[in-house]
């Protein structure tokens, strides 16, 4: 029996993709992996296609172009729901999320249901290789989001997450609006509004050592103003 589907969005991750896939399949649990590739010009998808000859549980969803992290995950969620996976994970391709922590997220989600967040901040600040200004930006953003939304979550922008199938079935995925950090906030807020349990599991986040970061000023701006938009839409009963 499969342990769940790990969705990994990619754009130009040829330096990491084979290693991250192999690391997931080395775990004792039988995880399936879905790579959602945004037509990476570096040939990421071609590497995945080669690895599919080796791994039966490796799947590839190829998209036409770079269309944002949020839409990549939404497409992955829909793919997972159509195939009835009980647990669905978000994970980065660059090893900033330790694949071994998938086992801990799965165990917590099986025990508690709802949504489980791999949290950098639930037991302090557990971030490696980030400059101080980026740590302060991320940690400050989580404080700001908690203040606006009242969500009892320490790491509101976390991108290492496990959902039960029931959570994603209850969320109208076609109404998800945001694509960057704000996507991660929006998903947690929608889960919170639906009154599903949200559990944080402490992880150590390690910044990528290979490839280029996808962080941009536009993503940060979206997160700052997106939170206010979410709160207003909730107050107007339009979320």
């Amino acid at each position: 029996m499969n342990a769940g589907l790990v969705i990994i969005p990619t754009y130009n991750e040829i330096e990491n993709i084979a290693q991250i896939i192999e690391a997931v399949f080395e775990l004792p649990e039988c995880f399936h992996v879905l790579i959602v590739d945004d037509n990476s010009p570096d040939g990421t998808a071609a590497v995945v296609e080669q690895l599919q000859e080796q791994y039966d549980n490796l799947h590839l969803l190829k998209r036409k172009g770079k269309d944002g992290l949020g839409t990549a995950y939404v497409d992955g969620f829909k793919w997972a729901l159509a195939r009835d996976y009980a647990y669905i994970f978000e994970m980065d391709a660059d090893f900033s999320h330790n694949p071994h922590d998938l086992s801990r997220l799965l165990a917590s989600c099986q025990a508690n249901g709802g949504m489980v967040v791999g949290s950098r901040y639930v037991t302090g600040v557990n971030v490696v290789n980030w400059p101080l200004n980026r740590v302060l930006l991320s940690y400050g953003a989580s404080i700001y989001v908690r203040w606006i939304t009242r969500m009892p979550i320490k790491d509101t922008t976390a991108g290492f997450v496990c959902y039960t199938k029931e959570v994603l079935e209850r969320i109208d995925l076609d109404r998800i609006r945001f694509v960057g950090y704000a996507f991660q906030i929006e998903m947690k807020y929608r889960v919170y509004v639906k009154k599903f349990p949200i559990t944080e599991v402490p992880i150590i986040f390690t910044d990528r050592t290979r490839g280029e970061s996808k962080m941009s000023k536009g993503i940060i701006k979206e997160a700052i103003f997106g939170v206010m938009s979410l709160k207003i839409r909730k107050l107007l009963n339009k979320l």
Side-chain angles (χ1 to χ4, degrees):
M1 183 176 179
N2 75 79
L5 180 71
V6 182
I7 302 172
I8 305 177
T10 56
Y11 184 78
N12 286 349
E13 290 290 355
I14 197 165
E15 296 175 83
N16 296 299
I17 192 61
Q19 293 94 325
I20 197 74
I21 289 169
E22 290 164 359
V24 174
F25 285 136
E26 286 173 357
L27 296 172
E29 298 84 1
C30 184
F31 290 105
H32 291 202
V33 174
L34 172 65
I35 304 299
V36 183
D37 186 70
D38 276 5
N39 197 24
S40 298
D42 70 350
T44 298
V47 174
V48 178
E49 288 172 330
Q50 290 175 354
L51 289 171
Q52 284 183 302
E53 299 176 6
Q54 181 179 347
Y55 298 112
D56 292 336
N57 297 333
L58 175 60
H59 310 284
L60 174 63
L61 180 59
K62 293 197 286 187
R63 306 203 309 164
K64 292 181 179 180
K66 192 175 182 182
D67 199 24
L69 180 72
T71 62
Y73 273 128
V74 167
D75 286 348
F77 294 157
K78 291 178 178 180
W79 193 96
L81 292 175
R83 290 156 181 81
D84 206 33
Y85 285 94
Y87 300 95
I88 300 100
F89 299 78
E90 298 179 15
M91 190 174 77
D92 290 348
D94 61 5
F95 284 93
S96 56
H97 302 142
N98 187 335
H100 290 281
D101 288 329
L102 286 167
S103 303
R104 298 170 57 234
L105 266 64
L106 174 64
S108 181
C109 207
Q110 289 172 330
N112 301 301
M115 176 189 207
V116 174
V117 177
S119 178
R120 297 163 291 186
Y121 305 132
V122 72
T123 57
V125 178
N126 295 314
V127 176
V128 177
N129 291 342
W130 264 10
L132 180 59
N133 64 335
R134 191 168 175 185
V135 173
L136 293 175
L137 177 64
S138 175
Y139 189 72
S142 283
I143 294 173
Y144 166 72
V145 172
R146 288 203 308 274
W147 180 65
I148 296 293
T149 65
R150 303 304 179 189
M151 287 192 293
I153 304 171
K154 295 288 188 181
D155 194 351
T156 55
T157 62
F160 196 17
V161 181
C162 178
Y163 304 88
T164 61
K165 175 182 67 174
E166 291 75 19
V167 167
L168 294 180
E169 286 176 332
R170 286 279 307 278
I171 292 174
D172 187 349
L173 297 174
D174 290 327
R175 296 185 69 182
I176 300 296
R177 296 181 56 187
F178 299 113
V179 297
Y181 266 0
F183 164 78
Q184 302 294 0
I185 299 165
E186 181 174 5
M187 287 299 297
K188 294 175 185 66
Y189 192 54
R190 288 182 179 274
V191 173
Y192 172 70
V193 168
K194 294 288 186 182
K195 300 186 184 305
F196 282 103
I198 302 176
T199 306
E200 289 187 270
V201 171
I203 64 161
I204 296 175
F205 178 96
T206 304
D207 196 21
R208 67 163 65 234
T209 57
R210 297 184 298 270
E212 295 183 1
S213 173
K214 310 304 189 294
M215 178 70 72
S216 71
K217 291 181 179 179
I219 289 173
I220 296 168
K221 182 179 178 181
E222 181 195 57
I224 292 171
F225 293 103
V227 176
M228 289 300 299
S229 172
L230 287 172
K231 185 66 174 181
I232 291 168
R233 286 161 59 205
K234 171 63 169 61
L235 293 173
L236 294 176
N237 202 29
K238 292 184 178 181
L239 190 64

